[in-house]
Amino acid sequence: MTPEDKDFMRRAIALAKHGMKNNAGGPFGAVVVKDGKIIAEGYNLVTSKNDPTAHAEVVAIRNACDKLGSFQLTGCTLYTSCEPCPMCLGAIYWARPDKVYYACNRIDAAKIEFDDQFIYNELDVSIENRKIEFNQVLRDEALEVFNDWAEKNDKTEY
């Protein structure tokens, strides 16, 4: 880790503190860096925006993609004050940054009652045995749209 990496991580940590002190949400912050410069920032806004998806990493990814005019973060690095939760991990893989640095880990988060282990556990459970009920409905009708997508010539691949 370079001195610059530490500076970017310190900014993510400062954002976590700022969001927490201003009651925006939990103590989490993130920055996206491209070509050695911060292009986007985010901190947790879950409780202030009533948005369970407004985690720091997701907010930073949304801001970075908006700034870049792209749905991918090729050539970018994400710095986050905590190891990403399963949702953020999914968002990170969809956004495809080159690298991720994190400070606290999921064990540290669990100690302050941000425990994502139940989600990790649910991923290993068959869909019919998960804690939230899932029901498949109208698959054939939905498959028609998928088939249309497969045949669409002017789609943007991702």
Side-chain angles (χ1 to χ4, degrees), residues 9 20-22 38 43 48 64 74 81 85 90 92 101 115 119 139 153 155 157-158:
M9 183 60 75
M20 178 196 64
K21 285 191 167 206
N22 288 288
I38 294 174
Y43 50 85
S48 61
T74 306
S81 64
C85 75
I92 288 164
Y101 289 96
D115 190 356
I119 299 172
R139 178 175 179 258
N153 293 321
K155 63 187 170 199
E157 301 276 351
Y158 61 98

Side-chain angles (χ1 to χ4, degrees), residues 87-144:
M87 178 187 68
C88 293
L89 185 61
I92 288 164
Y93 272 91
W94 281 113
R96 296 180 178 94
D98 294 353
K99 193 181 294 186
V100 175
Y101 289 96
Y102 65 94
C104 295
N105 62 33
R106 67 170 111 165
I107 296 165
D108 300 324
K111 287 178 182 175
I112 61 166
E113 299 185 14
F114 287 94
D115 190 356
D116 300 323
Q117 190 58 47
F118 76 98
I119 299 172
Y120 290 107
N121 293 345
E122 285 288 285
L123 293 173
D124 290 332
V125 175
S126 63
I127 200 163
E128 62 274 356
N129 291 318
R130 291 186 179 158
K131 293 188 189 289
I132 295 176
E133 184 177 325
F134 283 76
N135 299 289
Q136 189 171 27
V137 180
L138 300 178
R139 178 175 179 258
D140 291 339
E141 291 181 31
L143 278 174
E144 288 178 25

Side-chain angles (χ1 to χ4, degrees), residues 139-153:
R139 178 175 179 258
D140 291 339
E141 291 181 31
L143 278 174
E144 288 178 25
V145 179
F146 275 20
N147 292 334
D148 290 347
W149 172 261
E151 295 173 12
K152 185 173 173 55
N153 293 321

Side-chain angles (χ1 to χ4, degrees), residues 41-63:
E41 300 181 333
Y43 50 85
N44 186 290
L45 298 169
V46 169
T47 57
S48 61
K49 297 290 185 187
N50 293 317
D51 180 354
T53 69
H55 288 200
E57 297 92 334
V58 172
V59 172
I61 288 169
R62 288 174 180 161
N63 291 338

